[in-house]
Structure formats: C-alpha cells, structure tokens
Amino acid sequence: MVSLQLVQQSNARIASLPKGLVALFIGATSGIGQSTLQHFAQHAPSPLIYSVARPATVASHQSFLASLHQSRPQGSYEVITADVSLVSEIDKVVDAITEKETKLDILFMSPGFMAFDGRKNTLEGLDPSMTTRYYSRLRAVQQLLPLLNNAAAPRIVSVLGGGIERPLYEDDLDLRDESHWSMWTSAFHPATMGTLALEILARENPQLSIIHWFPGPVSTPGLAKAREYGMVPPNQMALEEAGKRGAFLVTSERYAVGGSEAVQKSGGGIFLIDPLGESTDNEVLLADLRIRGVDQKVWKFTLDIFDECEVRAKRDKDEL
Ligand SMILES: NC(=O)c1ccc[n+]([C@@H]2O[C@H](COP(=O)([O-])OP(=O)(O)OC[C@H]3O[C@@H](n4cnc5c(N)ncnc54)[C@H](OP(=O)(O)O)[C@@H]3O)[C@@H](O)[C@H]2O)c1
C-alpha cells in the first residue's frame, strides 16, 4: 500500500516537474477525474489543462476551472465541449488539441456510469455505459498516439477496473445478445477489453506508461446514484484522497517506463493498479486470453467499431 503521506510528499514534488505539461482530462466534470484534475493543477508548474465536458455540464465545469484559475493563475485551462458517449465526438476533442498542441504529456480518462436503467443505445448503436468506459477511451488513446509519442515521458491513466478483469463473452464482445448484457457485464467487458487493448498499444508504443487503475469504492456523485438502487459499498475512499492518488498516478516516477521495481507490469506491459497504488496480478485470466489471441480479436473488433462510427459521422455530416 502506498500511504497517503507518501502520495502527498510525491505530489508536493510535482512543482519541480517541467513547466508547461499538457494534460487532457476526459470525465473530469465530476468525481475522481475532477478531484485528480484539481490536485494536479494545484501543484503543476504552468500546466496546459484541457478538459472535456458535455453540453449540459460545460457551464458548471467552466466555473470549477475558473475558481482553479483564481488560485493557480499560472495554469491554462480550456474546456472542450463533447459528449463522449459517442465515439465520433472523441475525434472533435482530438482535433481541438491537435490544432494547438504538438505533444500530450498526460491523458487521464474517467468517464462512465453504471447502467442501472438498462441498455439504451446511442445513435451509433452502442451502449453508452460501454462507450464511455471503453470505446471512446481507446479511440482517444489511438488518435492521440502521435501527440503522446512527442512527449518526453507520456502517461495514460484509465480509471476503471485494472486487475479485476473477468472472462468475456468472446463471441459477443459488444453484449448485443440480451441474455449477455447486464449492469455488471457492461462494466466488466469494458474493464477486460480495456486492459487487453491498452496492452496491445503499450507493446506498440513502449515509451508510453499506461496505468489501468481500479480505484475501489470512492464517494463520488456517480457512486451516490448507486445508493438509489440499494448499492452502498462499504469502506468508500474519500473523494479528496482519490484525487490525491490520481494526481500521484499521473506524476509519480513509480509508474514511469522502467520505473520502480516495486511496481510490476502485467504480462502484456501495462500497470494494473489497485486502489492504494500497488500493482495487482490477474495473469491467470489475462495470460490465457493473450495466448488464445483474444486480445487481438478484441482490438480488431474495436477497430471495426471505430470504422463504423467514422462512416456514420461522415454520412451525417454530408447529409447536413
Ligand atoms: N466511484 C467509484 O466507486 C468507482 C469504482 C470503480 C470504478 N469507477 C469508475 O471510475 C470512473 C469515474 O467514476 P466516478 O465515480 O468518478 O464518476 P462520476 O462522478 O459519476 O463522473 C463520471 C464522469 O463521466 C461522465 N459521464 C457520465 N455519464 C456519461 C454519459 N452518459 N455520457 C458522457 N459522459 C458521461 C460524467 O460527465 P457529467 O458530469 O456530464 O455527467 C463525469 O465526467 C467511472 O468510469 C466509474 O465507472 C468508479
């Protein structure tokens, strides 16, 4: 366990990181992402922080960033309006950043929700609880690789379920068969597919440090909604602590490529990190999936989904 004291000591040293780190937060209009953004911004020297908000949340997010700007005027904060429950909206985010930046140091992704209301497909024909937690995140990584690879020590953190992956419906990755879909499978498929796909990208881009974090129960607005459905997990981490730990994950040398020996990577080359910052081991499941080529199958399936979303977005644009 990485103690909170150690986390705080390390975060205090964020001030000595290079000036002008460029960071993109997706899912930071609330919860773990927002608290992480806040703790990162409090310490980072003159960071350029981009944050994605859907139209309904832009105003409240702008006032959150404005108050951050008041306390840390040396930072630059920009909201990009996009609804990442649509894969195609990620491309708008990527365009907005690529127009202004030549590198991206940090990509922090925490959008998502538990689908208590069942599966309600988006215009792209995808389950938004899976899109926010998997497809859009991987689209962001894929499309931002050129900028990430231009950074000196690029790092990606995806907040979901690193180390708690479960078996997949391998012939129904998108859970289109109603008997396969449930609130839980729509959470575990993104977690398992996320690890496998991120591992492939890590192997192709060895200079990237990629962390898949399972934060455990954290007292966020998202988890508060679960209470309405009778779900009140014990031992919830305070949001403040999760934000400090998030800022630690994006900056600590512990999770650098070739970093500390205390933190092991998965057999596929990414950090699967538990709530308190230690590496976890889910190799029995993951090694079997890799040996059988399920990781490649997942990525091929995902690329096909991206193609379909691109074709659809182009058609919609042409029809306008
Ligand atoms: N909190 C926990 O206990 C816990 C435990 C394990 C894993 N996780 C995972 O960690 C991630 C962050 O959780 P959190 O508790 O911090 O969540 P949260 O407070 O509810 O914040 C979720 C973020 O996702 C965005 N989002 C939610 N539904 C969306 C939709 N339909 N379309 C587009 N964007 C949407 C939200 O945007 P708006 O502000 O616009 O709604 C917000 O930015 C989630 O993926 C969650 O599944 C959380």
Side-chain angles (χ1 to χ4, degrees):
M1 162 188 139
V2 181
S3 71
L4 190 53
Q5 191 189 15
L6 199 142
V7 165
Q8 292 176 152
Q9 283 166 358
S10 172
N11 286 354
R13 290 195 295 274
I14 295 175
S16 59
L17 291 177
K19 279 188 176 176
L21 289 178
V22 183
L24 169 63
F25 287 82
I26 305 176
T29 52
S30 168
I32 299 165
Q34 186 179 66
S35 185
T36 298
L37 191 165
Q38 183 175 0
H39 285 284
F40 172 71
Q42 266 165 12
H43 296 285
S46 309
L48 299 157
I49 297 180
Y50 292 87
S51 186
V52 177
R54 43 184 175 165
T57 347
V58 165
S60 62
H61 195 49
Q62 264 167 343
S63 60
F64 161 75
L65 293 177
S67 71
L68 255 186
H69 190 249
Q70 259 185 350
S71 58
R72 298 287 293 170
Q74 56 276 71
S76 145
Y77 308 89
E78 188 167 320
V79 177
I80 302 171
T81 306
D83 180 345
V84 301
S85 65
L86 294 172
V87 176
S88 56
E89 292 270 298
I90 288 291
D91 295 7
K92 278 174 40 182
V93 175
V94 172
D95 287 348
I97 295 194
T98 311
E99 256 175 38
K100 294 194 177 169
E101 306 296 340
T102 53
K103 61 150 188 168
L104 180 64
D105 299 282
I106 292 167
L107 173 58
F108 190 92
M109 301 180 290
S110 57
F113 65 98
M114 284 182 282
F116 290 111
D117 295 337
R119 180 172 184 145
K120 293 187 175 159
N121 280 359
T122 64
L123 293 172
E124 292 176 333
L126 300 170
D127 167 3
S129 82
M130 292 178 70
T131 304
T132 47
R133 291 183 287 187
Y134 175 67
Y135 298 116
S136 285
R137 295 187 189 197
L138 267 296
R139 179 69 173 175
V141 176
Q142 183 213 35
Q143 293 294 304
L144 288 164
L145 281 173
L147 288 193
L148 287 161
N149 281 325
N150 279 345
R155 191 166 300 185
I156 297 168
V157 177
S158 183
V159 185
L160 191 58
I164 58 161
E165 299 82 359
R166 298 257 180 100
L168 295 167
Y169 286 104
E170 294 172 19
D171 293 322
D172 184 17
L173 292 171
D174 193 49
L175 301 173
R176 288 176 193 179
D177 181 332
E178 279 179 24
S179 70
H180 294 162
W181 191 96
S182 71
M183 191 194 71
W184 289 112
T185 54
S186 72
F188 282 113
H189 263 230
T192 308
M193 290 162 72
T195 290
L196 295 174
L198 288 171
E199 286 183 341
I200 287 178
L201 294 174
R203 291 198 291 276
E204 290 173 1
N205 299 274
Q207 64 282 38
L208 291 184
S209 160
I210 304 185
I211 298 171
H212 185 181
W213 184 29
F214 171 58
V218 179
S219 305
T220 64
L223 195 61
K225 272 181 217 146
R227 181 184 288 271
E228 293 165 27
Y229 296 85
M231 212 178 104
V232 187
N235 306 320
Q236 294 183 20
M237 185 187 286
L239 184 50
E240 177 82 1
E241 175 170 347
K244 289 178 180 170
R245 290 186 178 280
F248 176 71
L249 290 176
V250 290
T251 54
S252 166
E253 268 301 304
R254 230 173 165 252
Y255 313 99
V257 168
S260 158
E261 281 175 14
V263 200
Q264 299 297 311
K265 283 186 182 164
S266 67
I270 66 170
F271 295 108
L272 301 175
I273 299 298
D274 77 6
L276 299 179
E278 297 295 353
S279 44
T280 59
D281 174 16
N282 201 359
E283 272 308 292
V284 173
L285 174 84
L286 294 171
D288 170 65
L289 292 170
R290 282 184 224 111
I291 288 164
R292 292 189 295 104
V294 179
D295 54 347
Q296 298 296 341
K297 181 174 181 174
V298 163
W299 190 229
K300 161 90 176 61
F301 179 82
T302 306
L303 292 176
D304 288 345
I305 293 270
F306 291 170
D307 286 347
E308 285 167 28
C309 294
E310 243 181 278
V311 168
R312 190 190 166 91
K314 187 173 178 318
R315 197 184 59 219
D316 289 352
K317 206 171 157 195
D318 290 347
E319 279 172 9
L320 276 179

Short mmCIF file of all heavy atoms in Angstrom, two decimals, residues 18-59:
data_model
loop_
_atom_site.label_atom_id
_atom_site.label_comp_id
_atom_site.label_asym_id
_atom_site.label_seq_id
_atom_site.Cartn_x
_atom_site.Cartn_y
_atom_site.Cartn_z
N PRO A 18 8.80 19.60 -15.23
CA PRO A 18 8.97 20.65 -16.24
C PRO A 18 7.73 21.53 -16.37
O PRO A 18 6.59 21.04 -16.20
CB PRO A 18 9.19 19.85 -17.54
CG PRO A 18 9.61 18.49 -17.09
CD PRO A 18 9.02 18.25 -15.75
N LYS A 19 7.97 22.78 -16.69
CA LYS A 19 6.84 23.70 -16.92
C LYS A 19 6.10 23.31 -18.19
O LYS A 19 6.71 22.74 -19.10
CB LYS A 19 7.36 25.13 -17.10
CG LYS A 19 7.67 25.83 -15.82
CD LYS A 19 7.99 27.28 -16.10
CE LYS A 19 8.20 27.99 -14.78
NZ LYS A 19 8.61 29.37 -14.96
N GLY A 20 4.82 23.67 -18.23
CA GLY A 20 4.07 23.55 -19.47
C GLY A 20 3.68 22.12 -19.85
O GLY A 20 3.52 21.82 -21.03
N LEU A 21 3.50 21.27 -18.84
CA LEU A 21 2.99 19.92 -19.18
C LEU A 21 1.59 20.07 -19.77
O LEU A 21 0.78 20.86 -19.27
CB LEU A 21 2.91 19.05 -17.92
CG LEU A 21 4.25 18.59 -17.32
CD1 LEU A 21 3.99 17.77 -16.06
CD2 LEU A 21 5.07 17.77 -18.32
N VAL A 22 1.32 19.30 -20.81
CA VAL A 22 0.00 19.35 -21.44
C VAL A 22 -0.79 18.12 -20.99
O VAL A 22 -0.31 16.99 -21.12
CB VAL A 22 0.10 19.35 -22.98
CG1 VAL A 22 -1.27 19.47 -23.61
CG2 VAL A 22 1.00 20.48 -23.46
N ALA A 23 -1.97 18.36 -20.44
CA ALA A 23 -2.77 17.25 -19.92
C ALA A 23 -4.18 17.33 -20.48
O ALA A 23 -4.75 18.42 -20.63
CB ALA A 23 -2.82 17.33 -18.39
N LEU A 24 -4.72 16.17 -20.80
CA LEU A 24 -6.12 16.09 -21.23
C LEU A 24 -6.89 15.21 -20.24
O LEU A 24 -6.48 14.07 -19.97
CB LEU A 24 -6.23 15.48 -22.64
CG LEU A 24 -7.64 15.11 -23.10
CD1 LEU A 24 -8.55 16.34 -23.19
CD2 LEU A 24 -7.59 14.41 -24.47
N PHE A 25 -7.97 15.76 -19.71
CA PHE A 25 -8.85 15.00 -18.81
C PHE A 25 -10.18 14.75 -19.51
O PHE A 25 -10.82 15.68 -19.99
CB PHE A 25 -9.09 15.80 -17.52
CG PHE A 25 -7.89 15.85 -16.60
CD1 PHE A 25 -6.88 16.77 -16.82
CD2 PHE A 25 -7.77 14.98 -15.53
CE1 PHE A 25 -5.76 16.83 -16.00
CE2 PHE A 25 -6.66 15.02 -14.69
CZ PHE A 25 -5.66 15.95 -14.92
N ILE A 26 -10.56 13.49 -19.54
CA ILE A 26 -11.89 13.15 -20.08
C ILE A 26 -12.66 12.49 -18.93
O ILE A 26 -12.22 11.47 -18.39
CB ILE A 26 -11.78 12.17 -21.27
CG1 ILE A 26 -10.86 12.73 -22.36
CG2 ILE A 26 -13.16 11.87 -21.86
CD1 ILE A 26 -10.61 11.78 -23.54
N GLY A 27 -13.77 13.11 -18.53
CA GLY A 27 -14.52 12.58 -17.39
C GLY A 27 -14.25 13.35 -16.11
O GLY A 27 -14.57 12.88 -15.01
N ALA A 28 -13.66 14.56 -16.24
CA ALA A 28 -13.29 15.32 -15.04
C ALA A 28 -14.32 16.39 -14.67
O ALA A 28 -14.02 17.30 -13.92
CB ALA A 28 -11.91 15.94 -15.24
N THR A 29 -15.54 16.24 -15.19
CA THR A 29 -16.58 17.19 -14.77
C THR A 29 -17.16 16.78 -13.43
O THR A 29 -18.01 17.47 -12.88
CB THR A 29 -17.71 17.24 -15.82
OG1 THR A 29 -18.14 15.89 -16.07
CG2 THR A 29 -17.22 17.86 -17.12
N SER A 30 -16.71 15.66 -12.91
CA SER A 30 -17.27 15.14 -11.66
C SER A 30 -16.30 14.12 -11.08
O SER A 30 -15.36 13.66 -11.76
CB SER A 30 -18.63 14.49 -11.97
OG SER A 30 -19.10 13.72 -10.89
N GLY A 31 -16.50 13.78 -9.83
CA GLY A 31 -15.88 12.60 -9.23
C GLY A 31 -14.36 12.53 -9.26
O GLY A 31 -13.65 13.52 -9.07
N ILE A 32 -13.85 11.33 -9.49
CA ILE A 32 -12.42 11.04 -9.40
C ILE A 32 -11.61 11.91 -10.38
O ILE A 32 -10.55 12.43 -10.04
CB ILE A 32 -12.17 9.54 -9.66
CG1 ILE A 32 -12.90 8.69 -8.62
CG2 ILE A 32 -10.67 9.22 -9.65
CD1 ILE A 32 -13.03 7.21 -8.97
N GLY A 33 -12.14 12.07 -11.57
CA GLY A 33 -11.44 12.86 -12.58
C GLY A 33 -11.32 14.32 -12.14
O GLY A 33 -10.24 14.92 -12.24
N GLN A 34 -12.41 14.86 -11.65
CA GLN A 34 -12.40 16.28 -11.25
C GLN A 34 -11.42 16.51 -10.08
O GLN A 34 -10.64 17.45 -10.07
CB GLN A 34 -13.81 16.73 -10.84
CG GLN A 34 -13.88 18.20 -10.56
CD GLN A 34 -15.28 18.64 -10.19
OE1 GLN A 34 -15.79 18.25 -9.14
NE2 GLN A 34 -15.90 19.43 -11.03
N SER A 35 -11.47 15.60 -9.11
CA SER A 35 -10.59 15.75 -7.96
C SER A 35 -9.12 15.57 -8.39
O SER A 35 -8.23 16.27 -7.89
CB SER A 35 -10.98 14.73 -6.88
OG SER A 35 -10.24 14.93 -5.72
N THR A 36 -8.86 14.67 -9.31
CA THR A 36 -7.50 14.48 -9.80
C THR A 36 -7.01 15.72 -10.53
O THR A 36 -5.89 16.19 -10.31
CB THR A 36 -7.43 13.25 -10.74
OG1 THR A 36 -7.80 12.10 -10.00
CG2 THR A 36 -6.04 13.05 -11.32
N LEU A 37 -7.87 16.25 -11.40
CA LEU A 37 -7.51 17.47 -12.13
C LEU A 37 -7.13 18.57 -11.13
O LEU A 37 -6.11 19.25 -11.26
CB LEU A 37 -8.69 17.91 -13.00
CG LEU A 37 -8.46 19.00 -14.05
CD1 LEU A 37 -9.62 19.02 -15.04
CD2 LEU A 37 -8.26 20.37 -13.49
N GLN A 38 -7.98 18.71 -10.11
CA GLN A 38 -7.75 19.77 -9.11
C GLN A 38 -6.40 19.59 -8.41
O GLN A 38 -5.62 20.53 -8.30
CB GLN A 38 -8.88 19.72 -8.10
CG GLN A 38 -8.80 20.80 -7.07
CD GLN A 38 -10.01 20.80 -6.15
OE1 GLN A 38 -10.93 19.97 -6.29
NE2 GLN A 38 -10.02 21.71 -5.22
N HIS A 39 -6.11 18.37 -7.98
CA HIS A 39 -4.86 18.15 -7.24
C HIS A 39 -3.64 18.27 -8.15
O HIS A 39 -2.59 18.76 -7.73
CB HIS A 39 -4.89 16.80 -6.52
CG HIS A 39 -5.76 16.85 -5.32
ND1 HIS A 39 -5.37 17.45 -4.14
CD2 HIS A 39 -7.04 16.45 -5.12
CE1 HIS A 39 -6.36 17.39 -3.26
NE2 HIS A 39 -7.39 16.79 -3.84
N PHE A 40 -3.79 17.86 -9.39
CA PHE A 40 -2.68 18.02 -10.34
C PHE A 40 -2.43 19.52 -10.57
O PHE A 40 -1.30 20.00 -10.48
CB PHE A 40 -3.00 17.30 -11.65
CG PHE A 40 -2.02 17.57 -12.75
CD1 PHE A 40 -0.73 17.04 -12.69
CD2 PHE A 40 -2.35 18.38 -13.83
CE1 PHE A 40 0.20 17.32 -13.69
CE2 PHE A 40 -1.43 18.65 -14.84
CZ PHE A 40 -0.16 18.12 -14.77
N ALA A 41 -3.53 20.25 -10.83
CA ALA A 41 -3.39 21.68 -11.15
C ALA A 41 -2.83 22.47 -9.97
O ALA A 41 -2.11 23.45 -10.16
CB ALA A 41 -4.75 22.25 -11.56
N GLN A 42 -3.16 22.04 -8.75
CA GLN A 42 -2.68 22.76 -7.57
C GLN A 42 -1.16 22.76 -7.46
O GLN A 42 -0.58 23.64 -6.85
CB GLN A 42 -3.26 22.13 -6.30
CG GLN A 42 -4.53 22.81 -5.85
CD GLN A 42 -5.28 21.98 -4.84
OE1 GLN A 42 -4.76 21.00 -4.32
NE2 GLN A 42 -6.51 22.36 -4.57
N HIS A 43 -0.52 21.72 -8.02
CA HIS A 43 0.92 21.60 -7.86
C HIS A 43 1.71 21.87 -9.14
O HIS A 43 2.87 22.27 -9.07
CB HIS A 43 1.27 20.17 -7.39
CG HIS A 43 0.71 19.83 -6.05
ND1 HIS A 43 1.25 20.32 -4.88
CD2 HIS A 43 -0.34 19.06 -5.69
CE1 HIS A 43 0.55 19.86 -3.85
NE2 HIS A 43 -0.42 19.09 -4.32
N ALA A 44 1.11 21.60 -10.30
CA ALA A 44 1.90 21.61 -11.54
C ALA A 44 2.34 23.02 -11.93
O ALA A 44 1.57 23.97 -11.79
CB ALA A 44 1.10 20.98 -12.67
N PRO A 45 3.58 23.17 -12.41
CA PRO A 45 4.05 24.48 -12.82
C PRO A 45 3.56 24.83 -14.23
O PRO A 45 3.90 24.15 -15.18
CB PRO A 45 5.59 24.35 -12.78
CG PRO A 45 5.87 22.90 -12.92
CD PRO A 45 4.64 22.13 -12.52
N SER A 46 2.74 25.85 -14.32
CA SER A 46 2.21 26.35 -15.60
C SER A 46 1.70 25.24 -16.52
O SER A 46 2.13 25.15 -17.69
CB SER A 46 3.28 27.15 -16.35
OG SER A 46 3.83 28.12 -15.52
N PRO A 47 0.79 24.39 -16.04
CA PRO A 47 0.29 23.34 -16.94
C PRO A 47 -0.72 23.87 -17.94
O PRO A 47 -1.34 24.92 -17.72
CB PRO A 47 -0.42 22.39 -15.96
CG PRO A 47 -0.93 23.30 -14.89
CD PRO A 47 0.11 24.40 -14.75
N LEU A 48 -0.85 23.15 -19.04
CA LEU A 48 -1.92 23.44 -20.02
C LEU A 48 -2.91 22.31 -19.88
O LEU A 48 -2.61 21.17 -20.25
CB LEU A 48 -1.34 23.46 -21.43
CG LEU A 48 -0.27 24.52 -21.70
CD1 LEU A 48 0.61 24.12 -22.87
CD2 LEU A 48 -0.95 25.83 -21.96
N ILE A 49 -4.07 22.63 -19.31
CA ILE A 49 -5.02 21.56 -19.00
C ILE A 49 -6.25 21.68 -19.89
O ILE A 49 -6.95 22.70 -19.88
CB ILE A 49 -5.42 21.63 -17.51
CG1 ILE A 49 -4.17 21.40 -16.65
CG2 ILE A 49 -6.50 20.61 -17.18
CD1 ILE A 49 -4.42 21.44 -15.16
N TYR A 50 -6.50 20.62 -20.63
CA TYR A 50 -7.71 20.54 -21.44
C TYR A 50 -8.66 19.57 -20.75
O TYR A 50 -8.24 18.52 -20.25
CB TYR A 50 -7.39 20.00 -22.85
CG TYR A 50 -6.57 20.96 -23.67
CD1 TYR A 50 -5.17 20.96 -23.60
CD2 TYR A 50 -7.19 21.88 -24.51
CE1 TYR A 50 -4.42 21.85 -24.35
CE2 TYR A 50 -6.44 22.78 -25.27
CZ TYR A 50 -5.06 22.75 -25.18
OH TYR A 50 -4.32 23.64 -25.92
N SER A 51 -9.94 19.93 -20.73
CA SER A 51 -10.90 19.06 -20.05
C SER A 51 -12.18 18.99 -20.87
O SER A 51 -12.66 20.01 -21.37
CB SER A 51 -11.18 19.63 -18.65
OG SER A 51 -11.99 18.76 -17.93
N VAL A 52 -12.70 17.80 -21.01
CA VAL A 52 -13.87 17.59 -21.88
C VAL A 52 -15.15 17.63 -21.03
O VAL A 52 -15.22 17.02 -19.97
CB VAL A 52 -13.76 16.22 -22.58
CG1 VAL A 52 -15.00 15.94 -23.42
CG2 VAL A 52 -12.51 16.17 -23.45
N ALA A 53 -16.15 18.36 -21.53
CA ALA A 53 -17.45 18.40 -20.84
C ALA A 53 -18.56 18.28 -21.87
O ALA A 53 -18.44 18.83 -22.97
CB ALA A 53 -17.60 19.70 -20.06
N ARG A 54 -19.62 17.56 -21.50
CA ARG A 54 -20.74 17.53 -22.46
C ARG A 54 -21.55 18.83 -22.28
O ARG A 54 -21.45 19.48 -21.21
CB ARG A 54 -21.58 16.27 -22.33
CG ARG A 54 -21.92 15.81 -20.95
CD ARG A 54 -22.67 14.50 -21.02
NE ARG A 54 -22.91 13.98 -19.67
CZ ARG A 54 -23.76 13.03 -19.40
NH1 ARG A 54 -24.45 12.48 -20.38
NH2 ARG A 54 -23.91 12.61 -18.16
N PRO A 55 -22.37 19.17 -23.28
CA PRO A 55 -23.01 20.49 -23.27
C PRO A 55 -23.69 20.83 -21.94
O PRO A 55 -23.54 21.95 -21.44
CB PRO A 55 -24.02 20.41 -24.41
CG PRO A 55 -23.39 19.44 -25.37
CD PRO A 55 -22.66 18.43 -24.53
N ALA A 56 -24.38 19.87 -21.34
CA ALA A 56 -25.13 20.18 -20.11
C ALA A 56 -24.22 20.51 -18.94
O ALA A 56 -24.67 21.13 -17.96
CB ALA A 56 -26.03 18.98 -19.75
N THR A 57 -22.98 20.10 -19.00
CA THR A 57 -22.08 20.30 -17.85
C THR A 57 -21.03 21.38 -18.10
O THR A 57 -20.25 21.67 -17.19
CB THR A 57 -21.36 18.99 -17.50
OG1 THR A 57 -21.96 17.89 -18.17
CG2 THR A 57 -21.39 18.72 -16.02
N VAL A 58 -21.02 21.94 -19.31
CA VAL A 58 -19.97 22.91 -19.65
C VAL A 58 -19.95 24.07 -18.65
O VAL A 58 -18.90 24.44 -18.11
CB VAL A 58 -20.15 23.44 -21.09
CG1 VAL A 58 -19.32 24.68 -21.32
CG2 VAL A 58 -19.74 22.38 -22.09
N ALA A 59 -21.13 24.65 -18.36
CA ALA A 59 -21.16 25.86 -17.52
C ALA A 59 -20.60 25.58 -16.12
O ALA A 59 -19.75 26.31 -15.62
CB ALA A 59 -22.58 26.39 -17.44
#
